[in-house]
């Protein structure tokens, strides 16, 4: 009886080689039938070679490393760009430095951010930067370099924003919501400048003309809900495909500066009355991560945040002194308009940063980087740095951005608020560029593809 039990146990216990073969077969079937991959070269199973003798040649550490890379799922690289303060000069400067670091570490002087990131999300001017870096013409290459982002603001500031009215949102409220002539002129100037950037050979580029998945939010007044412009949706149907220049205007339509943007999809079936994306999503990092986790068609092997590599670019802030309670308690509605907008935007961005940091848990130091500054004293000069578009103020903003990137990085601590890190923002960007290059190099060695991007189908005329 004992011998029968031992025989039964030996029959039920599969060998290690059988387990490996079963795993390979299941992976092939899962990939073929769930995700639609049918390339036999891509999914060729490894042969399981049984051991011939007890004494085998030891495997070198190099072979073990290659084998480990082949079986990795890889990491999805995500870029998130905040909208809001300082006219996003800080984010533009960070993007420029990151792309320069990629060129050095990869040895490719033609490297672009779109070559290394799989998903990009941006709100406000950050949304404009996203469209610039991932929009493409007929050559399947990005329209702009990262250095063009902040230079675009510096050179086109007057055309983009024009002359700001001194009364702004409060005056419109008192006038029953009517739009002033100055606001209409600013809106027209902004649209004309943006449209020129996203028109190629007389053709308006749309969300379908972006190289990788992009996410750009706005707030839709017609539905009283946030609206997220998405390349993935645009490739599915023309009803969610919008012109890039209109998307940029929608996510940048600050109520204090511009009138709402009335827009429709390329087939006219979806309509939207959009205002500033920062009102709905001042920090789009969480939306980008959620998109990756649930988009199994383009990112089939992502199991959780451990498979995602994220960099989130903040806008920084200029220290204008804390709010004095003795003065604040006497403020009327007109005094609260701008502080409320700043407090709401900064708090929302910080809360998303803290929540994302908590979600990454033990991986937050290796998979999540937030570039945010602790403020600058250069703003204590009597100039409203966020609204003044004069050349002198733009130069001031550029100096503030450079100063902030040299600061120690501000880190969110799990259940502990924030702390000043050991590395500067420049050092963090440099480290992250190395991670991007390493991930890019490893993808050519892996058995399974890390991403499977949807490609736009040619439209029939």
């Amino acid at each position: 009886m004992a011998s029968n039990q031992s025989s039964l146990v030996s029959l039920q216990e599969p060998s290690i080689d059988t387990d490996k073969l079963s795993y390979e077969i299941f992976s092939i079937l899962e990939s073929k039938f769930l995700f639609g991959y049918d390339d036999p070269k891509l999914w060729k199973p490894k042969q399981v070679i049984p051991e011939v003798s007890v004494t085998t040649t030891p495997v070198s550490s190099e072979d073990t490393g290659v084998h480990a890379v082949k079986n990795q799922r890889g990491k999805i690289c995500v870029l998130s760009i905040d909208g809001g303060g300082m006219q996003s000069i800080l984010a533009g400067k960070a993007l420029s430095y990151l792309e320069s670091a990629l060129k050095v570490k990869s040895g490719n002087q033609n490297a672009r951010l779109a070559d290394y990131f799989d998903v990009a999300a941006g709100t406000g001017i950050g949304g404009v930067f996203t469209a610039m870096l991932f929009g493409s013409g007929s050559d399947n290459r990005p329209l702009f370099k990262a250095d063009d982002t902040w230079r675009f603001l510096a050179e086109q500031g007057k055309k983009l924003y024009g002359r700001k009215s001194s009364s702004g949102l409060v005056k419109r409220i008192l006038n029953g919501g009517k739009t002033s002539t100055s606001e209409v002129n600013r809106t027209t100037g902004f649209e004309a400048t943006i449209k020129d950037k996203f028109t190629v050979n007389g053709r308006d580029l749309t969300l379908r003309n972006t190289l990788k998945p992009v996410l750009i939010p706005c707030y839709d007044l017609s539905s009283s809900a946030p609206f997220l412009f998405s390349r993935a949706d645009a490739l599915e149907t023309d009803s969610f495909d919008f012109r890039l220049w209109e998307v940029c205007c929608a996510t940048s339509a600050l109520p204090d500066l511009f009138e709402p943007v009335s827009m429709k999809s390329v087939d006219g079936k979806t309509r939207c009355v959009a205002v500033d994306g920062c009102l709905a999503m001042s920090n789009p990092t969480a939306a980008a991560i959620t998109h990756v986790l649930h988009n199994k068609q383009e990112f089939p092997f992502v199991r959780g945040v451990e498979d995602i590599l994220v960099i989130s670019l903040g806008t920084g802030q200029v220290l204008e002194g804390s709010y004095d309670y003795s003065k604040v308690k006497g403020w009327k509605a007109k005094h609260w308009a701008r502080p409320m907008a700043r407090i709401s935007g900064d708090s929302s961005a910080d809360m998303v940063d803290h929540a994302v940091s908590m979600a990454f848990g033990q991986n937050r130091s290796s998979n999540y980087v937030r570039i945010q500054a602790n403020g600058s004293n250069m703003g204590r000069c009597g100039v409203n740095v966020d609204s003044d578009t004069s050349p002198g103020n733009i130069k001031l903003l550029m100096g503030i951005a450079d100063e902030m990137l040299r600061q120690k990085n501000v880190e969110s601590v799990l259940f502990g608020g924030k702390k000043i890190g050991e590395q500067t923002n420049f050092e963090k960007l440099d480290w992250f560029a190395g991670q991007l290059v390493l991930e890019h190099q490893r993808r050519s060695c892996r058995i399974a593809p890390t991403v499977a991007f949807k490609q736009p189908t040619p439209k029939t005329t």
Side-chain angles (χ1 to χ4, degrees), residues 321-338:
S322 59
Y323 296 109
D324 187 347
Y325 175 72
S326 62
K327 297 179 180 179
V328 169
K329 66 180 182 180
W331 280 5
K332 300 185 184 299
K334 63 180 181 179
H335 300 126
W336 274 104
R338 185 171 294 279

Side-chain angles (χ1 to χ4, degrees), residues 112 131-145 148 197-200 205 209 211 244:
R112 298 286 181 267
M132 291 176 67
L133 295 173
F134 286 80
S136 176
S138 58
D139 58 352
N140 208 35
R141 293 296 294 162
L143 290 173
F144 299 95
K145 303 175 183 177
D148 294 328
K197 295 296 180 182
F198 294 102
T199 302
V200 178
L205 299 181
N209 300 120
L211 296 169
L244 272 181

